[in-house]
Amino acid sequence: MSANTSRPDPGEWEEAARLLSRTARDLPTGRHDHHRERLMARIEQEQRTRETSPGTAKARRPRLSGPAIALPALAAAVAAAVIAGTAMTGGNGDGPHRLATGPALTTRIGAASPDGVSRLLDQVSLVAAKDDHPVLKPGQYVYIESKAADTFVKTVGDKTSLASHALHKRQVWYSPDGTKGWLIDPSVNDRPEGETLSLPDEQGNTPVAGLNNPSYDYLAKLTTDPDTLLTKIYKETKGHGNSPDQEAFTTIGDLLVESYPPPALSKALFKAAAKIPGVVTVHDAVDAVGRHGVAVARLDEQSGQREEWIFDRNTHVFLGERSVQVRRSGGLDRVIKPGTVLFTNAVLRRAVVDGMKEVPAQAG
């Protein structure tokens, strides 16, 4: 059966392009491409819903909130997006990104408890403070290698179901000032060799570094006082996401995955996270490559999704993150059942290299 390929009207694309242009300045370097794909697919899904159920869905729009757009971070954005399967895979894994698809990713929902959060984050912060990773110098690049997978809503004809993109490797490089970079990720790139992240971007913008566009140079200058840092996070993310507390938690989580904060800042970020209301521990959580650990997590009450930061149980080293549906949601996301893993990630290597597209094994 062929997939429904109806397209949004020109006005919707124009509005989306306008929002994305503004959003690109608010997202971490290289992530606006990832979110652009999902937002456009979400608009297509909304269009299909309006066409098939005009009496109930004509007023629905993609859930955009805040002054720019509700794309609050890697895990949360993937979790929130409802993706028409053919928008990324052609319905059979042979689309431009050529990622295999399969059934929805699922997990046992781990029990959460507010007990022990401060103790765990204290232990994590002490480990982070002892990290002796080298200082990034001009001309060098941060290299981060991870593996990721995600679950999405797939519509073929009049049938809607859950599917997943296969676990795949993601590699990203970026310069100290954040103006040069490269991304290899088959869930985003049309070409296997990847694409540039160097600025200016496709809209001609050179985003100013900030918490949601965190170059190494920017992070190196941030305060390491947890209270001052948390106040700054709340201020700069005001109006974004489903709640101030969730957005603050998500912002810190983003910095764990694809940035290279100095050890003193990492310690401060964990200390700050402990002060966010609603943060809990999850005794057992599993990253994208199957490593079990203990998680620091927070439930988004609006979406029913829980974002989990996973740490090694013994060493307290960060392993990865995932977003798990723990409560049934409504609207277009109603097919996402509790226990669905919407996004999962495992950080495998984080290093400094001397050239773009150079991997640590080739350095020196």
Side-chain angles (χ1 to χ4, degrees), residues 50-328:
R50 287 197 298 274
E51 290 174 350
T52 57
S53 305
T56 58
K58 65 180 180 181
R60 292 179 181 171
R61 304 289 297 175
R63 291 197 296 270
L64 310 178
S65 64
I69 193 168
L71 294 174
L74 186 62
V78 173
V82 174
I83 301 174
T86 55
M88 295 188 66
T89 65
N92 59 9
D94 295 328
H97 305 110
R98 304 190 186 284
L99 268 183
T101 58
L105 306 174
T106 60
T107 189
R108 180 184 63 82
I109 299 174
S113 170
D115 300 331
V117 172
S118 295
R119 182 172 65 255
L120 176 57
L121 284 170
D122 279 344
Q123 293 169 326
V124 168
S125 68
L126 289 174
V127 170
K130 295 177 182 178
D131 190 341
D132 60 353
H133 67 236
V135 174
L136 191 61
K137 300 175 182 178
Q140 293 184 314
Y141 292 84
V142 172
Y143 170 77
I144 300 172
E145 180 181 321
S146 59
K147 285 195 173 182
D150 65 273
T151 295
F152 58 93
V153 176
K154 179 177 181 179
T155 298
V156 178
D158 59 356
K159 183 179 180 181
T160 298
S161 61
L162 290 182
S164 65
H165 286 124
L167 184 69
H168 59 278
K169 183 164 72 173
R170 176 180 171 94
Q171 296 169 283
V172 63
W173 293 258
Y174 62 86
S175 62
D177 62 4
T179 63
K180 296 180 181 178
W182 193 265
L183 172 68
I184 300 176
D185 183 338
S187 75
V188 177
N189 304 142
D190 289 328
R191 299 173 299 173
E193 66 270 24
E195 62 188 69
T196 183
L197 299 178
S198 298
L199 299 173
D201 63 19
E202 61 267 31
Q203 284 83 34
N205 302 312
T206 301
V208 176
L211 285 172
N212 285 324
N213 182 34
S215 70
Y216 174 84
D217 289 346
Y218 172 83
L219 294 175
K221 296 175 182 177
L222 279 180
T223 178
T224 55
D225 176 77
D227 292 308
T228 305
L229 182 59
L230 188 59
T231 297
K232 179 179 179 65
I233 290 171
Y234 274 106
K235 181 179 180 180
E236 292 198 11
T237 61
K238 184 178 181 180
H240 293 263
N242 287 337
S243 74
D245 293 333
Q246 188 65 36
E247 187 65 9
F249 186 80
T250 295
T251 297
I252 294 174
D254 267 0
L255 297 177
L256 300 179
V257 179
E258 280 193 356
S259 72
Y260 194 70
L265 178 60
S266 293
K267 179 179 179 180
L269 287 168
F270 291 125
K271 292 284 189 180
K275 299 174 183 290
I276 299 174
V279 177
V280 298
T281 59
V282 177
H283 180 69
D284 185 50
V286 188
D287 73 3
V289 295
R291 298 177 297 189
H292 285 255
V294 60
V296 173
R298 192 178 192 284
L299 174 66
D300 185 329
E301 296 286 351
Q302 182 170 321
S303 68
Q305 297 154 14
R306 187 170 71 193
E307 182 177 346
E308 302 176 348
W309 308 340
I310 306 169
F311 301 91
D312 184 277
R313 194 180 306 280
N314 298 315
T315 66
H316 299 112
V317 169
F318 177 71
L319 300 179
E321 69 171 352
R322 67 178 183 177
S323 180
V324 179
Q325 192 78 32
V326 300
R327 295 181 184 172
R328 191 177 286 276

